[in-house]
Amino acid sequence: MPRQSASLDAATPERIAATALAMIDTDGPGALSFRTLAARLGVAHATVQRRCADLAGLLDLCADHLAGDLPDIPPDTGWAEATETRFRALYATLTAHPGLLALRGSRPWLGPRLLGRLVEPQLADSVAAGMTPGEAIAAYRRMYLLTLGSATFVDHRDPRGSVAATRTALAALDPEEFPVLTGHLPEILSAVVDHEVFYGALRQLVRAADPAA
């Protein structure tokens, strides 16, 4: 009985998620499996599987674990500042774990912690600021999709690799057919990994949706 209890303690949802994320971040998304994760935790394969059911459940657990890093916004914060703070924090969290993004693909991020720390308070703030529920969810979706897309399509943990891949692709183009892409390579390459591209787009969306404006 003590041995079984120790196994369960080692396989709490938080420990499973933290260990899986560490494996993905260190060894890449291909390194994650129930067997390797169980071995890292020091428990039986079946113990982990009972907690997560399948790989999709494990990835959901990891995503919701990350949502714990999202900030609590003071209630007297203005709508625009609160909104930008939330989505900048989500962007920072996602870009720190590109392997998880690759594994999740198009799966929605709908865990209870993410809903409670991001979605519900953002929608509540928007409605309190004067938006209708429909306007609130539309504004949220625009910013969520911008954030998720900006984090997903560039590996910001390997900016040199992202720039090198883009340079190689553009170098193969015919300058006569693609004069802008081949003629402005420094500007294009710097924009590929520039976080300000996301921050600027987010600020534009916030200004456009701000009820106070």
Side-chain angles (χ1 to χ4, degrees):
M1 185 63 109
R3 181 177 299 177
Q4 181 181 8
S5 177
S7 295
L8 292 176
D9 289 343
T12 63
E14 292 299 309
R15 289 197 65 182
I16 290 173
T19 304
L21 283 167
M23 291 174 61
I24 296 169
D25 292 342
T26 303
D27 304 322
L32 184 64
S33 72
F34 277 111
R35 293 194 182 280
T36 54
L37 176 58
R40 188 73 59 91
L41 289 165
V43 300
H45 169 267
T47 301
V48 178
Q49 196 156 19
R50 279 197 298 270
R51 296 288 196 189
C52 308
D54 55 18
L55 180 60
L58 174 58
L59 297 179
D60 286 344
L61 197 67
C62 291
D64 219 42
H65 175 77
L66 289 180
D69 294 335
L70 298 178
D72 291 317
I73 308 296
D76 59 344
T77 306
W79 182 88
E81 181 183 350
T83 299
E84 184 171 347
T85 299
R86 285 192 184 102
F87 283 98
R88 285 176 70 108
L90 178 62
Y91 176 76
T93 300
L94 296 179
T95 54
H97 301 280
L100 179 62
L101 293 179
L103 285 172
R104 285 187 61 85
S106 61
R107 286 180 58 79
W109 295 65
L110 295 173
R113 187 176 289 174
L114 183 72
L115 293 174
R117 296 184 68 87
L118 174 69
V119 186
E120 177 65 23
Q122 180 60 38
L123 295 181
D125 281 358
S126 296
V127 170
M131 291 187 191
T132 66
E135 291 169 339
I137 190 62
Y140 169 82
R141 287 289 294 173
R142 293 186 190 105
M143 295 172 205
Y144 166 77
L145 292 174
L146 168 70
T147 307
L148 189 59
S150 297
T152 299
F153 291 108
V154 176
D155 184 352
H156 289 286
R157 295 184 68 194
D158 182 21
R160 289 186 178 181
S162 297
V163 170
T166 304
R167 184 192 300 275
T168 299
L170 297 184
L173 298 177
D174 182 348
E176 292 188 2
E177 188 176 357
F178 300 93
V180 177
L181 286 171
T182 58
H184 302 277
L185 202 56
E187 294 85 351
I188 291 170
L189 292 177
S190 64
V192 167
V193 292
D194 185 0
H195 291 291
E196 185 55 37
V197 172
F198 165 74
Y199 297 140
L202 177 61
R203 285 192 294 268
Q204 288 180 339
L205 286 178
V206 170
R207 284 197 299 268
D210 190 352

